[in-house]
Amino acid sequence: MPFTYICPECGKDFDPASFVWRCPFCKVPLDLMPFEMSLPLEAIKARPVTLWRYREALPFAADYTGWEVVTMGEGMSPLMPFNARTPNVLLKVEYLMPTLSFKDRGAAVLIAKARELGAARVIADSSGNAGTAIAAYAARAGLACEVYVPASASPKKLKQMAAHGATVHAIPGSREDTAAAAIAAVERGGAFYASHVYNPFFFQGTKTYAYELWEQLGGAPEVLVLPVGNGTLVLGAYYGFNDLLKLGLIERLPRMLAVQAEGCAPLARAFAAGERDAAPVVNIGTEAEGIAIAAPARHREILAAVRDTNGLILTVSDAAIEAARHDLARQGFYVEPTAAAPYAGLVEYVNGSMSGQLPIPHEPLFAGNPLRGEGTERVVVPLCGAGLKAG
């Protein structure tokens, strides 16, 4: 079965084998045209606990086995309560992935697809975790890899990329300067743009987050709390739960509570103003480097996805992120600052909504305070990156 890109603006379609990375006419990210897929539960249960157990729902030919040389066992991360007193606050421990972040979901699928399309060399840009994931899976697949990163990125992440054999380009300036440098290199030709932002196959990997929750919970949670910068997990989870809804495997979408850092929050600003698009902002600084995206390329899709779930986008301060990181560590979960942002957002939401100081869209997310063990709503918070990556 062929898989085709489609432009969400003009409706033109494109062959992924052309290595096109955005619509050449509208200059916007491409989507993947809907394709036939299924989730045969009995067959899935008999397979190894990796994201490839869902291969009928992934954009590969039925007889494609190239993923077998790429996979490192990514997927099916643990789902644990924050502690015994909060049975409905569940942490999905995404940092227990081969490169220590949830980006392995998208990287594994994207690199397997790049290999199928005949790529020999890939280029990526990243604030850190996506770059390390692309570098690792490219090495596994035997593809040459270049990663463009901000010069301010964590030295530990830069070392990890280089250890996997990637050529690392540290770019002075903003995250947007880094993306521009990578795009310029791609446009010189000869490389596949393995972008976790522009390439829709990456989101086909992150959507497995939703499938796993469906298996682990026996359905959909009531609320998803998610970090949002470029929308890699927000959109992946949204696509995955929509797949489950269309297949009749769940009855409703979980509501999304998406969290941005105060120092760089274009999506939260647009959401609060009721805007369809998010205008770029100036990043005034945050420790949560993974979500410090001043001009997210898929801003329109992210805003629409959160609104479709009757959700909310809010911001948290670096002080709140650091407090959340401390609280998580005291429960045994050591995460980097970006990964603490969703839990900080949950704390801010609950405290704000209980005092009446936070705007609530339509209806509150919770009947009681889940951090006190109240209510019946199940809320899932991802722990996206290991604390060992920070600094």
Side-chain angles (χ1 to χ4, degrees), residues 103 123-131 134 147-153 161 169 171-183 193-198 229-232 264 281-283 286 288-297:
K103 295 285 177 57
I123 289 176
D125 59 278
S126 166
S127 61
N129 285 336
I134 293 293
V147 184
Y148 288 73
V149 296
S152 59
M161 294 173 207
H169 303 277
I171 307 299
S174 68
R175 177 66 181 82
E176 287 65 40
D177 293 327
T178 299
I183 288 168
Y193 190 20
S195 171
H196 65 291
V197 180
Y198 279 93
N230 273 314
T232 317
C264 191
V281 299
V282 174
N283 177 6
T286 174
E289 62 181 10
I291 52 174
I293 309 300

Side-chain angles (χ1 to χ4, degrees), residues 78-379:
L79 186 64
M80 303 293 298
F82 177 75
N83 61 33
R85 298 183 301 278
T86 59
N88 288 331
V89 178
L90 302 167
L91 307 177
K92 192 151 172 60
V93 192
E94 292 284 277
Y95 65 75
L96 293 180
M97 294 276 189
T99 76
L100 308 182
S101 92
F102 86 97
K103 295 285 177 57
D104 288 3
R105 293 184 183 277
V109 171
L110 179 55
I111 293 299
K113 193 67 186 183
R115 193 173 186 271
E116 182 187 32
L117 294 172
R121 172 172 160 254
V122 300
I123 289 176
D125 59 278
S126 166
S127 61
N129 285 336
T132 60
I134 293 293
Y137 285 93
R140 186 84 171 166
L143 306 181
C145 179
E146 296 180 46
V147 184
Y148 288 73
V149 296
S152 59
S154 164
K156 292 181 180 179
K157 293 176 183 177
L158 302 185
K159 288 179 182 178
Q160 188 180 2
M161 294 173 207
H164 293 311
T167 299
V168 180
H169 303 277
I171 307 299
S174 68
R175 177 66 181 82
E176 287 65 40
D177 293 327
T178 299
I183 288 168
V186 170
E187 292 187 333
R188 288 193 286 271
F192 179 89
Y193 190 20
S195 171
H196 65 291
V197 180
Y198 279 93
N199 197 297
F201 288 112
F202 198 96
F203 298 90
Q204 292 294 305
T206 57
K207 76 178 184 181
T208 61
Y209 179 84
Y211 300 163
E212 288 180 17
L213 288 175
W214 162 67
E215 269 202 271
Q216 290 170 317
L217 295 172
E222 281 67 38
V223 179
L224 294 175
V225 185
L226 299 166
V228 62
N230 273 314
T232 317
L233 192 52
V234 164
L235 291 176
Y238 179 71
Y239 297 153
F241 278 110
N242 265 288
D243 287 347
L244 293 163
L245 188 65
K246 289 172 185 174
L247 291 171
L249 297 170
I250 60 173
E251 296 180 352
R252 45 156 186 78
L253 296 176
R255 296 177 70 186
M256 287 187 179
L257 177 62
V259 182
Q260 292 214 283
E262 267 182 12
C264 191
L267 295 163
R269 181 178 297 182
F271 187 91
E275 299 289 345
R276 182 187 180 205
D277 298 305
V281 299
V282 174
N283 177 6
I284 62 174
T286 174
E287 290 298 309
E289 62 181 10
I291 52 174
I293 309 300
R298 293 186 181 269
H299 56 98
R300 185 173 293 175
E301 295 98 317
I302 296 165
L303 290 166
V306 174
R307 288 181 174 128
D308 189 44
T309 72
N310 191 21
L312 174 71
I313 304 178
L314 56 74
T315 64
V316 291
S317 66
D318 276 17
I321 289 172
E322 190 54 38
R325 194 179 180 206
H326 175 270
D327 289 348
L328 288 163
R330 289 303 178 96
Q331 297 299 324
F333 304 101
Y334 186 51
V335 301
E336 63 180 331
T338 301
Y343 184 73
L346 175 62
V347 173
E348 293 286 300
Y349 176 85
V350 168
N351 289 341
S353 65
M354 296 302 114
S355 66
Q357 296 177 357
L358 196 74
I360 306 297
H362 307 296
E363 60 188 50
L365 294 176
F366 309 110
N369 186 337
L371 298 174
R372 296 179 187 152
E374 299 169 359
T376 59
E377 299 93 348
R378 296 171 299 180
V379 52

Side-chain angles (χ1 to χ4, degrees), residues 52-82:
W52 298 99
R53 67 203 274 112
Y54 309 116
R55 50 186 175 268
E56 290 90 349
L58 298 176
F60 298 97
D63 58 352
Y64 177 71
T65 59
W67 61 269
E68 294 175 352
V69 301
V70 176
T71 183
M72 291 189 283
E74 58 285 335
M76 201 50 76
S77 59
L79 186 64
M80 303 293 298
F82 177 75

